[in-house]
Amino acid sequence: DMQMTQSPSSLSASVGDRVTITCRASQSISSYLNWYQQKPGKAPKLLISAASSLRSGVPSRFSGSGSGTDFSLTISGLQPEDFATYYCQQSFSAPYTFGQGTKLEIK
Amino acid sequence: EVHLVESGGVVVQPGGSLRLSCAASGFTFDDYTMHWVRQAPGKGLEWLSLINWDGDRRYYADSVKGRFTISRDNSKNSLYLEMNSLRTGDTALYYCVRSPPGVVGTHYYLYGLDVWGHGTTVTVSS
């Protein structure tokens, strides 16, 4: 099965900062990589699909890049509502595994 | 408005069985592929199973293969998860999730899980 490895597992940052979360697949997944945001007590929300396609209604400060095995999610100009846990997920082949998550906390 | 509402989560003993349901509304149910995803307390997301629009494709995570069965009834706009031989490690919040239809090729390629329910809690404990 495909393994998805996110780094870092946790991250402290300040409002206004630019942060990058990375996700590595154990095999090439082309661009079949999605990013989700989850806030405490809430269901996950799809932010980016196909590695770099921003979902409707998601602020433009979120961006995704990468292909093959290496991907990244960048948030430019952190806002208070961005502090959450972020997950990558490969949608190349079943089982459609998630990364372990990155918890973004306020510094 | 698009909604997915899960039900059926209860406390069950190890070795027991359970059926989760998900009622969909606000969209054409049989246009979409559906999934179950779970999250153990304080842990990350675990994808469990997928069913395509007509049930012709069903995939499972290794952790539930042979124990869980996904199904759907398009006439009732409903998704189900039959869970057997339950273990304490199956304790989790179970989400019903939608995705656009996959692309058939060497694999079944998806473009993200775009609508999530609020989840139903399954606790496996003696």
Side-chain angles (χ1 to χ4, degrees):
Chain A
D1 293 353
M2 197 86 64
Q3 304 301 318
M4 305 301 294
T5 304
Q6 281 182 242
S7 61
S9 297
S10 63
L11 178 58
S12 293
S14 301
V15 172
D17 283 355
R18 181 176 187 266
V19 298
T20 297
I21 299 167
T22 64
C23 181
R24 174 165 287 177
S26 58
Q27 307 169 41
S28 177
I29 56 171
S30 183
S31 295
Y32 293 98
L33 190 284
N34 312 300
W35 290 99
Y36 301 85
Q37 176 192 67
Q38 187 179 32
K39 296 181 179 179
K42 301 293 186 182
K45 174 186 175 183
L46 178 63
L47 299 177
I48 289 171
S49 59
S52 60
S53 181
L54 198 66
R55 302 295 296 182
S56 175
V58 176
S60 59
R61 62 181 179 271
F62 290 89
S63 63
S65 65
S67 67
T69 60
D70 294 312
F71 301 86
S72 63
L73 170 71
T74 298
I75 312 171
S76 300
L78 275 170
Q79 297 300 301
E81 60 267 29
D82 299 336
F83 293 94
T85 301
Y86 293 85
Y87 295 92
C88 63
Q89 182 210 19
Q90 64 85 11
S91 53
F92 180 81
S93 66
Y96 300 101
T97 41
F98 288 91
Q100 81 277 18
T102 296
K103 187 172 184 178
L104 178 55
E105 298 175 304
I106 300 174
K107 185 182 287 183
Chain B
E1 193 176 348
V2 174
H3 282 298
L4 297 170
V5 179
E6 302 92 338
S7 61
V10 292
V11 178
V12 61
Q13 291 190 337
S17 298
L18 198 54
R19 188 198 202 200
L20 304 183
S21 300
C22 170
S25 60
F27 64 100
T28 304
F29 184 66
D30 57 10
D31 278 351
Y32 289 86
T33 290
M34 298 298 296
H35 306 250
W36 289 99
V37 174
R38 73 183 178 187
Q39 188 167 35
K43 302 297 184 182
L45 301 170
E46 181 184 13
W47 179 88
L48 294 181
S49 185
L50 165 160
I51 185 168
N52 73 331
W53 75 277
D54 65 356
D56 191 44
R57 291 179 181 272
R58 307 183 196 210
Y59 300 114
Y60 297 93
D62 289 346
S63 60
V64 303
K65 198 176 296 182
R67 299 190 300 125
F68 290 11
T69 302
I70 193 170
S71 62
R72 66 191 294 162
D73 185 337
N74 290 338
S75 69
K76 295 181 178 179
N77 291 345
S78 293
L79 176 72
Y80 306 101
L81 186 68
E82 194 76 38
M83 308 164 67
N84 296 313
S85 304
L86 282 162
R87 307 165 180 168
T88 55
D90 295 318
T91 295
L93 181 64
Y94 285 72
Y95 291 105
C96 169
V97 194
R98 183 188 89 168
S99 71
V103 175
V104 177
T106 303
H107 302 285
Y108 189 63
Y109 309 105
L110 303 174
Y111 288 100
L113 279 56
D114 66 348
V115 177
W116 295 63
H118 293 292
T120 187
T121 299
V122 174
T123 302
V124 184
S125 174
S126 54

